[in-house]
Amino acid sequence: MNTIISIALLGFLYLLPIAQQPDYSKLKADAEKFYASGSYARANEVYSRIDKQSVPAAEKRWVEFRLADTSWRAQAASETADTTKFEQAQKDLEELIRTHEKDDERDLIWAEAHESLGDFFWTRRNQSNWGWGWPHYQQALDWWAGQRDIEQARARYLGIVFKAAEPRGWGDGYYYTYSGYYIPLVVLENALKISTRDSDRIHLHYLIAMTMRFQGGDAGVRLRVPEEFEAALKAGKRIDWYDDALFHYAHWMLTNGSTLQLEDGQWREEPNYVKALELFRRLTTEFTKGETRYYDQAVEQIKQLTQPTLSIAVSNIFLPGSELQFNLEARNLRRIDFALYKIDLTRDVRFTKNLDEDEGDGDVEGWIQKLRVAGRAPVKAWSKEIENSGEHKPYSEEVRIAGKLPLGAYLLEGRSGSVVARDLLLITDVALVLKSSATQALVYFADAVSGTPVPNANVTLWESYYERDRWHSRRVVKTTNSEGLAHFPLNNNGTSRNLYAAASSNAGSAGADRQAFAAGNAYGGGDGTDAWRIYAYTDRPAYRPKETVNWKFTARRFSNTGGYSTPANQVVEYQINSPRGTKVAEGTATLNTFGSAWGSLELGQELPLGEYQIQFWDQGRKNGIGGAKLFRLEEYKLPEFKVAVKTPVENGRKKAFRLGEKVEVNIQ
């Protein structure tokens, strides 16, 4: 009886492992269902239950691949800053590739591991490293291109291309080539050759057009850009990237346009404004505001293309007797009337107190537009006809003013209907220099050729400052001393001020027509506190793991009176961060009598490579007072070389040397 029980018990124990071992095929199928639905953590959990020792070698490699692949994908969906799983998954995937690197060993898992690493570097949140991701995608694409299962290879090849072109999680602002990276044209054209669905082909035409648009190339490539965009637009609004194609095609026509061959055989690009306008209008017609992110931009482009515009710019100040000229730019205009008005920069310039928001932010450059010329007779007036073909082409010319004008300041105005443009034309032999600190401004007025100071000249200083949520302005008038200098105390209100200074001389035959002006800024503490200035450095710029960083910093306080002080014995708090933004070290330092402090940092083997930053705060971390790039942690490998001593041969015999004689050494 005991024998029978023992035999039965042994049979039960023999069967027990088989009953406990789950069916691999079922586990794999369940895990792949989870994977297909994006439940990577569930898929990883199921694959981790498989006993890898009980499955064939090929399936074992598959399980190892899926464990690594689902591990990083599941971790990427979390908010944790822990990188341990990412680093381990990367290591495991690279090992799966390394063990089958020979051409005859590359299998499905080798290609899948490459694609997974491509996703790891390119589509993972907060990564988007194209330089590391694309080489892995390229390897996977090359492998699929050589497979015999045409349908599967086509689906996987196109899948990788479209995924690389439009990674998930980039947000609504992303468009292909937005980040400056693009898929090689040969890959896109190969994808176009193998695609069978119209939607895929249209998508590829868009990607090819965008690649050519961004990459540029010879005339043949530029000629194809409009063709590819036209092919991409055939499907109409039902395609997701239709508005992208319309907008970027319009921009291509606006900036590059049509490629034309000249009589000498050369090629030239000429913007096609009519076509660009047509495309922008299609976008605003076929889409309503809110349906496309490009709507407002397209409306603005239509406005710029169709509205009359005029711009005049005097690029320099002229010495007496010089030939006078200015730059003219116009669009959608046929005639422009020009006039020159004599002005006095010290009297006619005005800045409005309590400037409204629509009048600017105290910017001194707006004074030219506010000069009043109503009732004044121009010293010179003329008109210019502009050829207008109706194609919205911009007109540009360097215009020369006929004749000579006497010394003085002139307002140059161009007018065409309600469109007006202005600039200052200054003919002078004097110059003005404006310097400022937080509390005062200094004006120097001198002869522009000899540098001789101009005394007893009238100087006007306008100071615009921001106080109580509004811009205010004040005007101060002074006279230069015997050294051509005029000092102006500045208003202490506000933290920054815009300055405008103008001077005119009453001496000499030219009288008050010897004029000059300058604009500038002044900055102050505002709140009465002293700003910190910190200089941090290490004993060398780069280190290897396991080395010690010796670092030091020196601090100064800059007062709103313009001087520096040494913050001796003050406490400063600091924190050193890794390239990933994580804290490596922190502490407090008490500055010595020279305003300096120092410390050291042991670099462990586990620290990430890259650039380390240091941040500083005052005591209690109430205010940030500075920061700097402190050092770089880099891998280091000793250079490989060999030293070979070559003995010269003379008359068929090796030459003998005496001690101390030079020998030729070849270092490789």
Side-chain angles (χ1 to χ4, degrees):
M1 183 67 178
N2 292 337
T3 303
I4 296 174
I5 293 174
S6 299
I7 293 172
L9 181 60
L10 287 173
F12 174 76
L13 293 174
Y14 177 77
L15 293 173
L16 184 59
I18 299 176
Q20 289 180 337
Q21 171 63 35
D23 180 67
Y24 170 70
S25 299
K26 184 178 185 307
L27 287 175
K28 181 179 180 181
D30 291 343
E32 289 301 314
K33 286 181 181 178
F34 287 131
Y35 189 92
S37 65
S39 300
Y40 302 118
R42 297 288 301 276
N44 183 272
E45 186 273 329
V46 174
Y47 269 115
S48 65
R49 287 159 41 197
I50 296 175
D51 180 8
K52 291 185 288 185
Q53 304 304 320
S54 65
V55 298
E59 291 299 323
K60 178 182 177 181
R61 269 174 46 81
W62 176 261
V63 173
E64 291 173 344
F65 158 69
R66 269 296 191 242
L67 285 172
D69 179 65
T70 54
S71 174
W72 78 256
R73 294 185 190 275
Q75 186 75 349
S78 68
E79 295 292 340
T80 179
D82 184 12
T83 61
T84 305
K85 289 186 177 180
F86 290 134
E87 293 166 356
Q88 186 60 49
Q90 180 183 349
K91 180 179 178 181
D92 293 341
L93 290 169
E94 289 173 346
E95 181 64 15
L96 288 169
I97 292 171
R98 187 192 64 80
T99 57
H100 286 64
E101 192 59 62
K102 294 181 180 179
D103 290 347
D104 58 347
E105 294 176 342
R106 297 177 180 179
D107 56 4
L108 173 64
I109 297 171
W110 180 90
E112 294 279 8
H114 269 299
E115 183 177 349
S116 179
L117 283 171
D119 292 346
F120 180 84
F121 291 118
W122 180 233
T123 66
R124 181 161 54 103
R125 185 172 55 188
N126 300 327
Q127 264 297 312
S128 306
N129 191 318
W130 180 259
W132 290 358
W134 174 251
H136 291 291
Y137 282 145
Q138 183 70 72
Q139 293 281 16
L141 287 168
D142 290 345
W143 189 86
W144 283 111
Q147 299 310 298
R148 294 184 177 181
D149 188 338
I150 303 300
E151 293 304 318
Q152 184 186 25
R154 176 187 291 113
R156 295 302 298 274
Y157 194 97
L158 294 177
I160 294 174
V161 168
F162 293 142
K163 175 170 54 180
E166 298 184 26
R168 291 174 294 179
W170 274 60
D172 294 336
Y174 173 83
Y175 59 86
Y176 177 63
T177 71
Y178 167 84
S179 55
Y181 305 112
Y182 53 88
I183 299 172
L185 196 57
V186 64
V187 173
L188 295 174
E189 291 180 329
N190 287 339
L192 182 62
K193 291 177 182 177
I194 65 172
S195 60
T196 56
R197 297 191 305 177
D198 287 342
S199 59
D200 289 343
R201 296 180 65 83
I202 291 169
H203 194 174
L204 287 164
H205 280 301
Y206 167 69
L207 296 178
I208 290 172
M210 292 293 287
T211 300
M212 290 177 169
R213 170 183 174 271
F214 181 84
Q215 181 181 1
D218 57 20
V221 172
R222 296 195 299 272
L223 279 169
R224 281 186 57 191
V225 172
E227 298 175 5
E228 296 295 336
F229 270 124
E230 290 290 350
L233 294 175
K234 287 183 178 179
K237 191 177 176 181
R238 63 185 178 86
I239 300 299
D240 290 340
W241 50 89
Y242 177 68
D243 59 333
D244 296 86
L246 273 175
F247 183 78
H248 294 297
Y249 184 18
H251 255 290
W252 172 267
M253 302 309 293
L254 187 66
T255 55
N256 298 79
S258 306
T259 302
L260 308 174
Q261 189 171 22
L262 306 178
E263 294 181 358
D264 59 0
Q266 299 296 316
W267 294 85
R268 176 172 61 87
E269 288 182 335
E270 183 175 294
N272 190 332
Y273 301 105
V274 174
K275 181 65 176 179
L277 181 60
E278 173 200 329
L279 292 166
F280 284 128
R281 282 175 169 164
R282 280 178 61 181
L283 197 150
T284 57
T285 300
E286 299 183 37
F287 293 89
T288 60
K289 186 176 176 63
E291 283 188 313
T292 173
R293 55 184 164 171
Y294 302 113
Y295 187 88
D296 290 338
Q297 297 179 62
V299 169
E300 183 61 28
Q301 290 292 347
I302 293 170
K303 179 180 176 181
Q304 292 183 17
L305 283 168
T306 58
Q307 286 192 346
T309 58
L310 174 62
S311 171
I312 56 178
V314 181
S315 58
N316 56 288
I317 296 172
F318 301 94
L319 288 170
S322 300
E323 186 177 68
L324 308 176
Q325 59 188 27
F326 64 93
N327 294 318
L328 167 66
E329 292 185 359
R331 174 177 255 156
N332 302 317
L333 297 177
R334 295 186 180 275
R335 175 189 170 95
I336 303 173
D337 298 318
F338 294 100
L340 281 167
Y341 298 91
K342 193 73 174 290
I343 60 174
D344 187 327
L345 296 174
T346 61
R347 294 197 317 263
D348 295 334
V349 174
R350 290 287 183 271
F351 293 91
T352 307
K353 289 184 178 181
N354 298 327
L355 294 175
D356 296 329
E357 289 187 5
D358 60 353
E359 291 182 311
D361 57 357
D363 186 0
V364 297
E365 295 180 359
W367 61 267
I368 296 177
Q369 308 306 322
K370 300 185 181 78
L371 286 173
R372 297 177 180 177
V373 295
R376 296 192 187 188
V379 297
K380 188 177 182 64
W382 73 101
S383 299
K384 183 175 184 61
E385 300 290 335
I386 296 179
E387 181 181 351
N388 190 335
S389 63
E391 297 180 351
H392 310 290
K393 292 183 179 180
Y395 178 87
S396 179
E397 182 187 358
E398 190 174 82
V399 180
R400 294 184 178 181
I401 300 175
K404 304 294 181 181
L405 289 174
L407 207 68
Y410 300 86
L411 175 67
L412 172 63
E413 182 178 86
R415 184 180 294 272
S416 180
S418 60
V419 182
V420 180
R422 288 178 165 188
D423 204 354
L424 176 69
L425 179 69
L426 184 59
I427 306 171
T428 186
D429 59 356
V430 289
L432 185 145
V433 178
L434 171 65
K435 294 191 68 176
S436 63
S437 69
T439 58
Q440 65 175 332
L442 177 65
V443 170
Y444 177 59
F445 192 39
D447 187 284
V449 179
S450 66
T452 305
V454 179
N456 303 316
N458 295 325
V459 182
T460 299
L461 178 76
W462 280 94
E463 179 186 6
S464 299
Y465 56 93
Y466 195 72
E467 183 183 24
R468 297 177 183 176
D469 301 326
R470 297 181 71 86
W471 280 95
H472 304 266
S473 295
R474 72 186 188 103
R475 179 175 180 263
V476 183
V477 179
K478 290 202 172 187
T479 303
T480 57
N481 60 18
S482 60
E483 296 178 334
L485 297 173
H487 296 262
F488 295 87
L490 297 180
N491 195 312
N492 289 325
N493 296 323
T495 58
S496 64
R497 289 170 294 284
N498 295 327
L499 305 175
Y500 164 86
S504 64
S505 172
N506 295 319
S509 59
D513 288 337
R514 301 185 75 198
Q515 301 184 54
F517 78 100
N521 305 91
Y523 300 93
D527 58 359
T529 60
D530 294 346
W532 286 78
R533 302 289 189 270
I534 295 181
Y535 176 58
Y537 54 96
T538 57
D539 55 343
R540 64 178 192 266
Y543 297 84
R544 289 178 289 175
K546 297 185 178 181
E547 291 187 335
T548 301
V549 177
N550 294 306
W551 58 275
K552 183 178 181 179
F553 71 95
T554 300
R556 293 290 184 269
R557 301 292 295 271
F558 183 77
S559 69
N560 55 8
T561 60
Y564 285 95
S565 61
T566 302
N569 303 317
Q570 294 194 29
V571 176
V572 172
E573 299 190 26
Y574 66 86
Q575 178 174 309
I576 300 175
N577 295 326
S578 75
R580 297 171 182 163
T582 57
K583 179 174 64 179
V584 176
E586 64 178 349
T588 60
T590 302
L591 303 177
N592 62 16
T593 55
F594 300 102
S596 298
W598 51 86
S600 62
L601 175 66
E602 299 293 333
L603 300 175
Q605 182 69 41
E606 72 283 356
L607 290 176
L609 303 178
E611 190 172 74
Y612 284 70
Q613 308 270 344
I614 188 168
Q615 296 292 327
F616 297 97
W617 295 266
D618 57 9
Q619 190 171 13
R621 295 200 177 192
K622 297 177 182 178
N623 300 292
I625 61 176
K629 299 174 183 177
L630 196 59
F631 66 90
R632 291 190 63 84
L633 183 62
E634 302 286 0
E635 288 183 332
Y636 181 77
K637 181 180 179 182
L638 289 172
E640 297 181 358
F641 63 91
K642 66 179 180 179
V643 178
V645 179
K646 181 180 179 181
T647 305
V649 177
E650 290 184 353
N651 300 323
R653 300 179 64 181
K654 291 185 177 181
K655 182 178 179 180
F657 290 89
R658 294 181 181 275
L659 185 64
E661 291 183 352
K662 293 183 178 180
V663 179
E664 179 185 353
V665 178
N666 183 21
I667 300 178
Q668 300 179 347

